[in-house]
Each structure stands twice: as C-alpha cells, then as structure tokens.
Amino acid sequence: MIKQQATLSLELQAKMDFYQKQGYKVPTLDMIKTPEEIEKIKASGVINTAVLDHVEKHIKAGMTTQDIDDLVSSFTKEHQAICAPLNFEGYPKSVCTSVNHEVCHGIPSKLRKLKEGDIVNVDVSTIYNGYYSDASRMFIVGKTSKEREKLIEVTKECLALGLKQCKPYNFTGDIGHAIQSHAEKHGYSVVRELGGHGVGIEFHEDPFIYHFGKPKTGLLLVPGMVFTVEPMINAGGKDVVIDRYNGWTIYTKDGKDSAQVEHTVLITETGYEILTY
Ligand code: MF3
Ligand code: CO
C-alpha cells in the first residue's frame, strides 16, 4: 500500500516546530496516518481481534501449536484477510506461538503439543484490504502456577501503563520508562532487542518503540501516529538467544519464563485508542 501524505493542522505543525527547535526528535510525515488510512487500519484491527477471540475459544491442552496456526489461517481466510507473518522475510507460518521460555517468534509445529500449565503467547497480525494490524495475547493452558499467573498479570499491567503514556506531546521514552519501572519493581526484566513498531501501511514501520528508557527522551508522540506496544517481560534476566536452527525463535538465555502482550494503538487528540480491542 502506498502511504498518503498527511496534512498537518497549523497547530500541530507549530507544536512540532517548537519541540524540534528545543532539540527533541519529532516524527516525520510518513509516521502520521491520514483519517482514511486510520479507518482502514481499524477495519484490519477488527478482524485481528476476532482471530484472537477465535483462538481464545479453542485453545486447550493436547492441541499442537500447528493446530493454532490452522485456526488462525482458516479463520483469517474466511474473513477475506491475509496472515501477515506468512512468508514475511521468509517466516514459514501464519502466526507466532511462543510457549513458556520462548520470548517471541515461536514457529507453530505439529510436534509441539500444549500441556496443562503451559503459558502461550499467540501473536496475530492481519492484512485486510492492504492495511496491517498486530496484537498478541497470553493464554494459560488449563491451570498454571502462581508464578506464571503473576508474570502474565504484571506483563498486562506493563502494557496498560505503557499505553497510559500514549498521548500527544509525550515521548516514546515515557512509554518505555513506565513499562521498565513496573517490570523491575516486580523483580522481572525487559527484553531489549525487540520492541514495538509503527504499523498500518506496512507490517513494521518507524518508529521503533522501546520498552525501556527514560522519560522525555526518544521521539515526540503526535495525533495520527499508529504503532504497537508489545512488552516482552522475563521472569529472570533480560538476555535472550535466537534459535540457531530456525533463525527466528527467541528464548530467554536463562531458560526462565517470558510473557508478552501487544496492542496496536492510535495517538488521538487527547490520548490513545486501541485498534485491536
Ligand atoms: N507479530 C510480530 C510483531 O509483533 C512480528 C512477527 S514477524 C514474523 O512484531 F514474521 F515472525 F511474523
Ligand atoms: Co508487533
């Protein structure tokens, strides 16, 4: 999809100039969506959410992660949409399924059976009418340990606190700082190597959204920006390793659990709107 050129109000232009003159980084025009683009990304988000609801309804012990891939792929097709991960930079499946100490980009497999107590991140990304949306949820298979429940709870809180910082004239560093402070307060750590991203016209656009950082640093947020916030929170240390065979799956280095939740959000005039609810 070719990006339309956003027309900025005089007020927005003046504010961006004001911040830029003070040495702050401000978004470029390609990071600001037009109202028409936003409507189309919203429509994509509606389907993306329906896919996750569909997974939520069916996920259970004994299923394989390939079964989740099948659910996502068939449901998405039935809704005239496309699974964004499939063939993205050579990714071989339609969804990412990351279990326990897998941080992200777990590749569905018919050899990977879900068992009681597993915690699974299902990361769904949809192309509809040419526009992208991206969100992920954590699922608990049956009942799990108190420790795993708490990791998931705190990860959801991290996302909520990060989103709370999503408003005009805050900075990307405010989002990262809110997430990092909350995770570390609970003795957890934040994965550094991966982050949120602009989304909508392409799968991964600028800006990169760090899930750690300092207030009033990074890039200025302005109305019309659409990006994901998707903190990866580790029960143990922050370090991760990549699967040397498939080149995709990220694991915690210490083998401890990791959790992630993700939404696509729009910066509005007054705050944010989640496009993947
Ligand atoms: N959905 C992931 C994200 O949140 C991207 C996965 S890339 C894929 O950015 F190729 F693995 F799908
Ligand atoms: Co994403």
Side-chain angles (χ1 to χ4, degrees):
M1 194 55 57
I2 310 245
K3 168 102 189 67
Q4 298 169 354
Q5 183 96 335
T7 38
L8 308 188
S9 68
L10 289 177
E11 186 206 354
L12 176 54
Q13 191 60 64
K15 281 203 165 139
M16 282 172 54
D17 290 346
F18 169 81
Y19 280 100
Q20 191 165 34
K21 279 201 191 96
Q22 295 184 58
Y24 291 106
K25 283 201 210 90
V26 304
T28 49
L29 266 188
D30 58 311
M31 296 184 211
I32 302 172
K33 266 74 180 182
T34 66
E36 296 75 28
E37 288 169 341
I38 289 165
E39 283 316 304
K40 288 170 180 155
I41 299 167
K42 275 188 185 171
S44 175
V46 168
I47 296 178
N48 203 74
T49 300
V51 176
L52 279 163
D53 289 343
H54 184 62
V55 171
E56 186 153 356
K57 227 163 78 191
H58 292 93
I59 194 166
K60 61 171 195 295
M63 264 171 85
T64 67
T65 52
Q66 179 60 47
D67 294 330
I68 298 176
D69 198 81
D70 294 342
L71 283 173
V72 167
S73 158
S74 57
F75 188 95
T76 302
K77 283 184 196 136
E78 280 162 26
H79 290 78
Q80 288 73 50
I82 297 168
C83 299
L86 188 62
N87 301 321
F88 174 76
E89 292 180 1
Y91 186 78
K93 295 285 175 174
S94 296
V95 64
C96 298
T97 51
S98 307
V99 186
N100 300 338
H101 77 297
E102 294 170 353
V103 173
C104 64
H105 304 168
I107 300 179
S109 160
K110 58 183 188 320
L111 301 175
R112 185 68 188 255
K113 206 176 249 183
L114 297 179
K115 58 178 193 308
E116 176 92 9
D118 281 345
I119 55 171
V120 192
N121 173 272
V122 178
D123 190 341
V124 172
S125 319
T126 299
I127 313 171
Y128 181 63
N129 190 18
Y131 291 81
Y132 290 76
S133 56
D134 188 4
S136 79
R137 292 185 197 164
M138 290 300 296
F139 298 111
I140 299 173
V141 182
K143 269 182 85 68
T144 196
S145 64
K146 283 272 160 287
E147 290 75 18
R148 283 181 167 172
E149 275 177 5
K150 183 173 170 218
L151 175 64
I152 293 173
E153 263 332 292
V154 172
T155 301
K156 289 183 183 169
E157 289 163 9
C158 283
L159 175 58
L161 290 167
L163 293 178
K164 235 173 119 176
Q165 296 300 320
C166 291
K167 56 183 173 198
Y169 315 112
N170 260 8
F171 292 84
T172 55
D174 294 312
I175 303 171
H177 179 72
I179 291 169
Q180 182 182 13
S181 315
H182 192 66
E184 291 178 355
K185 191 174 95 189
H186 287 277
Y188 299 146
S189 58
V190 176
V191 173
R192 303 292 202 267
E193 289 82 352
L194 302 113
H197 50 90
V199 63
I201 312 300
E202 312 268 358
F203 196 170
H204 291 149
E205 304 172 7
D206 286 335
F208 189 85
I209 305 293
Y210 291 90
H211 298 124
F212 60 95
K214 295 192 169 61
K216 298 277 158 276
T217 65
L219 184 73
L220 185 76
L221 303 178
V222 306
M225 292 172 78
V226 176
F227 54 80
T228 72
V229 183
E230 48 179 304
M232 285 145 268
I233 306 299
N234 294 349
K238 66 179 179 356
D239 291 345
V240 297
V241 291
I242 187 162
D243 190 298
R244 67 170 91 179
Y245 301 104
N246 70 31
W248 277 102
T249 308
I250 308 290
Y251 308 91
T252 57
K253 192 169 180 191
D254 59 15
K256 297 197 175 162
D257 292 329
S258 186
Q260 178 182 25
V261 283
E262 172 179 21
H263 272 309
T264 295
V265 289
L266 162 72
I267 303 295
T268 64
E269 295 296 326
T270 52
Y272 67 91
E273 182 181 343
I274 296 176
L275 305 187
T276 45
Y277 242 154

mmCIF file of all heavy atoms in Angstrom, residues 123 134 195 197 203-204 228 230 262, ligand 2:
data_model
loop_
_atom_site.group_PDB
_atom_site.id
_atom_site.type_symbol
_atom_site.label_atom_id
_atom_site.label_comp_id
_atom_site.label_asym_id
_atom_site.label_seq_id
_atom_site.Cartn_x
_atom_site.Cartn_y
_atom_site.Cartn_z
ATOM 1 N N ASP A 123 0.640 -14.476 18.729
ATOM 2 C CA ASP A 123 0.850 -13.156 18.138
ATOM 3 C C ASP A 123 0.277 -13.170 16.715
ATOM 4 O O ASP A 123 0.788 -13.842 15.829
ATOM 5 C CB ASP A 123 2.349 -12.854 18.137
ATOM 6 C CG ASP A 123 2.651 -11.403 17.765
ATOM 7 O OD1 ASP A 123 1.787 -10.732 17.178
ATOM 8 O OD2 ASP A 123 3.768 -10.950 18.068
ATOM 9 N N ASP A 134 -1.796 -5.651 14.325
ATOM 10 C CA ASP A 134 -0.879 -6.564 15.014
ATOM 11 C C ASP A 134 -1.217 -6.567 16.505
ATOM 12 O O ASP A 134 -1.250 -5.496 17.127
ATOM 13 C CB ASP A 134 0.548 -6.025 14.764
ATOM 14 C CG ASP A 134 1.656 -6.938 15.239
ATOM 15 O OD1 ASP A 134 1.380 -8.047 15.700
ATOM 16 O OD2 ASP A 134 2.826 -6.505 15.124
ATOM 17 N N GLY A 195 11.124 -4.656 20.006
ATOM 18 C CA GLY A 195 10.246 -3.623 20.534
ATOM 19 C C GLY A 195 8.998 -3.462 19.696
ATOM 20 O O GLY A 195 8.767 -4.234 18.756
ATOM 21 N N HIS A 197 6.513 -1.097 17.145
ATOM 22 C CA HIS A 197 6.845 -0.549 15.826
ATOM 23 C C HIS A 197 5.633 0.136 15.219
ATOM 24 O O HIS A 197 4.493 -0.263 15.473
ATOM 25 C CB HIS A 197 7.296 -1.676 14.902
ATOM 26 C CG HIS A 197 6.340 -2.851 14.904
ATOM 27 N ND1 HIS A 197 5.295 -2.947 14.031
ATOM 28 C CD2 HIS A 197 6.265 -3.934 15.713
ATOM 29 C CE1 HIS A 197 4.614 -4.059 14.294
ATOM 30 N NE2 HIS A 197 5.168 -4.677 15.319
ATOM 31 N N PHE A 203 3.962 -3.867 7.627
ATOM 32 C CA PHE A 203 3.952 -4.663 8.861
ATOM 33 C C PHE A 203 4.784 -3.949 9.939
ATOM 34 O O PHE A 203 4.327 -3.715 11.055
ATOM 35 C CB PHE A 203 4.531 -6.041 8.551
ATOM 36 C CG PHE A 203 4.270 -7.109 9.575
ATOM 37 C CD1 PHE A 203 4.578 -8.437 9.271
ATOM 38 C CD2 PHE A 203 3.716 -6.833 10.811
ATOM 39 C CE1 PHE A 203 4.346 -9.451 10.184
ATOM 40 C CE2 PHE A 203 3.484 -7.847 11.740
ATOM 41 C CZ PHE A 203 3.819 -9.155 11.416
ATOM 42 N N HIS A 204 6.012 -3.621 9.566
ATOM 43 C CA HIS A 204 6.915 -2.959 10.516
ATOM 44 C C HIS A 204 7.382 -1.640 9.925
ATOM 45 O O HIS A 204 8.077 -1.609 8.925
ATOM 46 C CB HIS A 204 8.129 -3.857 10.812
ATOM 47 C CG HIS A 204 7.769 -5.067 11.605
ATOM 48 N ND1 HIS A 204 8.426 -6.258 11.500
ATOM 49 C CD2 HIS A 204 6.811 -5.265 12.530
ATOM 50 C CE1 HIS A 204 7.884 -7.139 12.320
ATOM 51 N NE2 HIS A 204 6.893 -6.569 12.952
ATOM 52 N N THR A 228 2.624 -0.255 17.586
ATOM 53 C CA THR A 228 2.343 -1.294 18.573
ATOM 54 C C THR A 228 3.124 -1.008 19.844
ATOM 55 O O THR A 228 4.193 -0.404 19.821
ATOM 56 C CB THR A 228 2.743 -2.694 18.076
ATOM 57 O OG1 THR A 228 4.179 -2.793 18.056
ATOM 58 C CG2 THR A 228 2.173 -2.991 16.698
ATOM 59 N N GLU A 230 4.329 -3.700 22.822
ATOM 60 C CA GLU A 230 4.312 -5.155 22.952
ATOM 61 C C GLU A 230 5.431 -5.657 23.854
ATOM 62 O O GLU A 230 6.317 -6.395 23.432
ATOM 63 C CB GLU A 230 4.408 -5.797 21.565
ATOM 64 C CG GLU A 230 5.498 -5.249 20.658
ATOM 65 C CD GLU A 230 5.527 -5.957 19.304
ATOM 66 O OE1 GLU A 230 5.646 -7.189 19.278
ATOM 67 O OE2 GLU A 230 5.421 -5.264 18.262
ATOM 68 N N GLU A 262 0.378 -7.517 23.392
ATOM 69 C CA GLU A 262 0.576 -6.474 22.378
ATOM 70 C C GLU A 262 -0.747 -5.899 21.902
ATOM 71 O O GLU A 262 -1.718 -6.629 21.702
ATOM 72 C CB GLU A 262 1.291 -7.091 21.163
ATOM 73 C CG GLU A 262 1.394 -6.179 19.945
ATOM 74 C CD GLU A 262 2.121 -6.822 18.767
ATOM 75 O OE1 GLU A 262 2.203 -8.067 18.719
ATOM 76 O OE2 GLU A 262 2.591 -6.083 17.899
HETATM 77 CO CO CO B 2 4.282 -6.234 16.597
#
